Every structure is written in C-alpha cells, then in structure tokens.
Amino acid sequence: MPELPEVEITRRQIEPLLSGRTIATLSTTKDSYFFITKPAALKRRLKGQRVARLERVGKYLLAHVEDGQRLLLHLGMTGQLFGAGVSSVRLLSSTGSAALSPEGQQAFAPDDHTHLRFSFEDGGPEVYFRDARKFGKVQLLAPGERCERLDKLGVDALLANGDVLHAGTRGRKAAIKNILLDQQVVAGIGNIYADEALFIAGIRPRAQAGKLSRPACERIVRAAQQVMRRSIETGGSSINDYVQPDGSDGSYQDERQVYAREGEPCLRCGAAIKRIVLGQRSAHYCPRCQR
Ligand SMILES: [Zn+2]
C-alpha cells in the first residue's frame, strides 16, 4: 500500500499534469464503492473547472479546484495516477503484484480499471486514475465542505515532532507500532516506515506507547522523517505493488533494515530479524538493537 513517500512522489509527478489545466471532460467507470461522490456528480461539477494545485495530506491527495472545490483521492492498495503518453508505465493487473505485459503497457488505453479519465481543454495529455483492486476512493468536496476523513487525521508525519507523538501516546496501552499506524495521531506512516523508524530509534514495535519518554518519542518521529525523506529521494518502496507514475520502480526497498527481512541478519549487529504479529499486521525488528 502506498504510504506517505509513495503518495508524495505521485503528487510531485502528477501536479505538473494537473495544475493550471482546465478539465474538458471527466469519464468514469460505472458507479461502485470507489465513488464516494457519484460519477454523474463528479462529471457535472468538474467540467470546465481549472485545477489550481495538488496537495498531499497524510496518504491522501487533494486536488484544489479554482472554484473552491477539492477533489480527494486515495490510492488504496493499487491505485495509480499517471498521465497519457508515459511510455514506460508499468500497470498493475487485478491480481495485485503481477504487472501487465510490456505490450499491454506500451499501448495503454483506458480499461475497466481506469476509474477516472481527465481530458483537458488544452488537448494535451489526459490523466488517469487506475486501480486494479479498487480499494482507492474519490470524493469531491464542495467549497468550504468539511471532510471527516481529513478532519480526523493527525499532524502530517513530515511536520510532526516528538511533542505530537508524546501527547498522542499518553494513557495509551497499545503498542507503539500500532499507534504509528493510527492516522489520527500522526498521518502518513504505514507498515514499512513504522518498522524502519522503530529500528533506527532502537525501540521495539511492541513497546507500550504510553510509557515512552519524551526523548524516545522525539527519536521515533525523527527516524520516521529520516526514512520517509530518503524513500522520497529514492523513488519509494516497490516491495509490493507500487510503481511511480512514470512507470519506474522505487528503490527504497533495497535500503530497508528490517521490514520483510525475517530471519535475515541485522545489518548492524548480525542478529536474526524477528517478525511478530501486532494488531493483525506483521512487525519486524532486531531483538538486539531494539529494546
Ligand atoms: Zn541488530
């Protein structure tokens, strides 16, 4: 699932294809749970509107329209935003991690998985939202409309600090790993970066959140920011399904220390990396480096 770095990379690559352009038509697939706002309303309300900018909030993308509407996009597990004419895009098949054949990618035409297709008045490249497994979401907010999904998010992980995490963990008996995944305390961190951040901070995923000291919370937040910034620089993690909008794989997975490395030696001390299950998600850690 795309986490903050992958969503931020998508934002950086797609914003130039959206901002300043006027939507001529929006085509969609038929109504489904993907559409929080119904297709007919999306088409009607976005036609003729100019996109101002594309913002990232946690793991969400928010396209600001000049009339004050905001289009909320969530990539879900396999959502991909990309522009027409990207020659190398590696599109995901509905079976998840497998990609379409090279021939199928070269000649991409919007298919059953292409839920949104924006065409623009300038006649330039279209922009697609494709999601083979349809865990993504789209919602169009009217000017000034509140959005519960956004309102309940905590501070964006790149803007957070130790105080935010410390305050958010007081009185919490849950494991710190689960708190990091809870988007209401700090927004944007998912499974990969939570494991990596806790390794760098030297704290076990199972540690009781409410007992962590203020300096420990500071270490965790700084570590999370360090790994996520590095991931953005290296194109994100392509361990599971993620590919960048330009079709290339990220390479952060090559730098990970613990995530999905169960049984392999810790790169710092040589101890075997452990995997445990916390709140139905796996957590990976070094039993020697993390206390
Ligand atoms: Zn170690």
Side-chain angles (χ1 to χ4, degrees):
M1 174 181 286
E3 303 182 25
L4 186 155
E6 292 78 30
V7 178
E8 176 61 20
I9 291 161
T10 300
R11 188 195 71 76
R12 292 180 185 187
Q13 293 193 10
I14 293 301
E15 186 177 43
L17 286 174
L18 285 178
S19 65
R21 299 181 77 193
T22 301
I23 297 166
T25 55
L26 172 63
S27 311
T28 73
T29 49
K30 66 180 187 340
D31 191 21
S32 69
Y33 51 81
F34 172 81
F35 295 97
I36 298 173
T37 303
K38 299 293 178 196
L42 283 177
K43 292 175 194 178
R44 186 182 71 246
R45 289 166 56 190
L46 287 174
K47 186 179 171 63
Q49 296 296 336
R50 196 154 103 140
V51 181
R53 64 193 174 92
L54 186 63
E55 181 188 16
R56 182 191 55 74
V57 184
K59 299 180 199 174
Y60 291 97
L61 288 169
L62 200 54
H64 292 258
V65 181
E66 284 189 345
D67 71 349
Q69 295 186 94
R70 294 176 299 162
L71 184 68
L72 182 73
L73 301 168
H74 191 256
L75 299 177
M77 300 283 285
T78 54
Q80 293 179 284
L81 261 177
F82 59 97
V86 171
S87 59
S88 63
V89 69
R90 181 161 75 76
L91 297 163
L92 301 169
S93 75
S94 52
T95 54
S97 42
L100 297 181
S101 68
E103 301 74 41
Q105 298 156 28
Q106 291 299 332
F108 177 75
D111 58 5
D112 291 349
H113 302 302
T114 310
H115 303 299
L116 302 175
R117 172 184 181 181
F118 298 90
S119 63
F120 298 92
E121 287 187 351
D122 60 19
E126 296 186 333
V127 171
Y128 307 121
F129 188 121
R130 188 175 179 277
D131 188 356
R133 290 168 73 186
K134 220 156 68 175
F135 289 111
K137 292 273 177 274
V138 61
Q139 180 176 17
L140 183 58
L141 302 165
E145 182 181 349
R146 302 295 298 263
C147 174
E148 196 191 334
R149 285 165 190 272
L150 294 177
D151 288 347
K152 71 181 185 191
L153 290 180
V155 181
D156 190 84
L158 289 183
L159 303 173
N161 58 33
D163 289 335
V164 169
L165 185 60
H166 193 244
T169 51
R170 291 313 88 187
R172 304 283 299 265
K173 290 203 165 82
I176 182 59
K177 168 78 186 278
N178 292 345
I179 300 284
L180 291 176
L181 297 181
D182 174 358
Q183 304 297 299
Q184 298 185 41
V185 177
V186 173
I189 302 177
N191 220 21
I192 299 173
Y193 301 103
D195 281 0
E196 295 298 309
L198 289 170
F199 173 78
I200 290 173
I203 293 164
R204 290 201 182 185
R206 211 202 296 270
Q208 192 175 315
K211 289 187 176 167
L212 291 172
S213 66
R214 167 75 183 66
C217 290
E218 184 71 31
R219 285 211 309 281
I220 292 168
V221 172
R222 295 300 164 215
Q225 292 171 340
Q226 178 189 327
V227 295
M228 290 191 295
R229 288 206 182 95
R230 177 63 187 158
S231 180
I232 292 169
E233 280 174 19
T234 57
S237 294
S238 294
I239 294 176
N240 299 317
D241 296 323
Y242 179 76
V243 287
Q244 297 181 54
D246 67 7
S248 51
D249 281 324
S251 59
Y252 187 73
Q253 64 277 7
D254 301 335
E255 298 188 14
R256 75 204 137 92
Q257 309 271 323
V258 288
Y259 180 79
R261 292 193 65 242
E262 182 186 10
E264 294 177 39
C266 171
L267 300 174
R268 193 184 287 168
C269 78
I273 299 299
K274 289 201 165 185
R275 174 182 174 275
I276 55 172
V277 175
L278 277 178
Q280 294 156 356
R281 310 282 302 271
S282 41
H284 309 81
Y285 70 96
C286 171
R288 200 178 293 165
C289 294
Q290 290 169 261
R291 292 287 161 196

